[in-house]
Amino acid sequence: RSCDQGHTWTEVSCLLYLSRSCDQGHTWTEVSCLLYLSRSCDQGHAWTEAEVSSVKNPDTKAHMLRWQMGDGRMGDGLLLAYNDHSSYKDVKCRKCRTKLTVSTSGDDGVTWKRLALVENAQQDLLRTHYPTILQVGCDRLVVIFSQAYACCAPKDAELGIRMATFKLAQE
């Protein structure tokens, strides 16, 4: 935690997790790779032991935030951006990362509902991944992500940092 805009940092807690590789052929379960979930009820001073969630993930970055209400209060819902497949066997492309998805949870991460499929290009070696999400106002979500090839990109490939925006309906 930092109280001086990141000039100095103090460790307040450690996350306890089981680290396993989700590379092709080496999954932590026989079927798929899933995201782990850890909770804090004291602003990050202590965390629960990480547990397996129901969210698929091919061993890449995901980003989650708590929905902020129009008056600045934190809402009950979570927003999550992630690649919605567990391994390369789940998609029709070799060594790709696809199905970049935004989902929401109203029960603190127990269940998830898809809000949007941001990108679903399924080409060999193409990786649409590493999302970061930002809520703008009370009804807009910005998703920033990268698109690159694992190797051998075509000359005309449109790669780099991408951005998508979505209007979020409040229920």
Side-chain angles (χ1 to χ4, degrees):
R1 179 175 310 253
S2 176
C3 296
D4 59 7
Q5 309 226 329
H7 293 287
T8 60
W9 291 87
T10 303
E11 182 180 315
V12 292
S13 182
C14 292
L15 291 176
L16 304 174
Y17 68 97
L18 177 63
S19 178
R20 305 245 178 136
S21 173
C22 293
D23 291 305
Q24 202 169 13
H26 305 289
T27 58
W28 67 271
T29 68
E30 294 177 12
V31 182
S32 64
C33 290
L34 301 170
L35 288 179
Y36 283 76
L37 178 66
S38 182
R39 293 179 175 84
S40 174
C41 296
D42 60 3
Q43 298 182 329
H45 289 280
W47 293 86
T48 62
E49 185 171 341
E51 56 192 50
V52 177
S53 75
S54 62
V55 179
K56 295 178 183 178
N57 184 264
D59 198 23
T60 187
K61 176 186 179 266
H63 188 225
M64 182 171 53
L65 58 82
R66 187 165 297 277
W67 177 269
Q68 191 168 3
M69 308 302 279
D71 59 6
R73 293 179 298 122
M74 299 311 278
D76 290 332
L78 298 173
L79 295 168
L80 175 67
Y82 62 104
N83 292 93
D84 187 17
H85 62 94
S86 55
S87 72
Y88 302 117
K89 297 173 194 168
D90 289 353
V91 291
K92 297 176 177 142
C93 47
R94 184 173 58 92
K95 292 193 175 183
C96 67
R97 288 184 180 149
T98 187
K99 295 185 181 179
L100 188 61
T101 301
V102 174
S103 292
T104 185
S105 174
D107 56 13
D108 221 21
V110 176
T111 60
W112 294 91
K113 178 183 173 187
R114 178 184 283 179
L115 289 178
L117 181 61
V118 179
E119 181 68 55
N120 192 25
Q122 295 194 21
Q123 294 174 273
D124 286 350
L125 306 173
L126 180 62
R127 294 185 169 193
T128 301
H129 55 177
Y130 301 138
T132 297
I133 52 178
L134 173 68
Q135 183 181 342
V136 179
C138 60
D139 66 346
R140 305 272 321 153
L141 184 69
V142 177
V143 183
I144 301 166
F145 58 96
S146 68
Q147 194 164 52
Y149 277 82
C151 74
C152 315
K155 282 188 175 186
D156 61 345
E158 294 183 23
L159 307 175
I161 304 299
R162 302 284 182 97
M163 182 177 77
T165 61
F166 298 94
K167 184 166 179 68
L168 299 172
Q170 292 194 21
E171 299 176 10

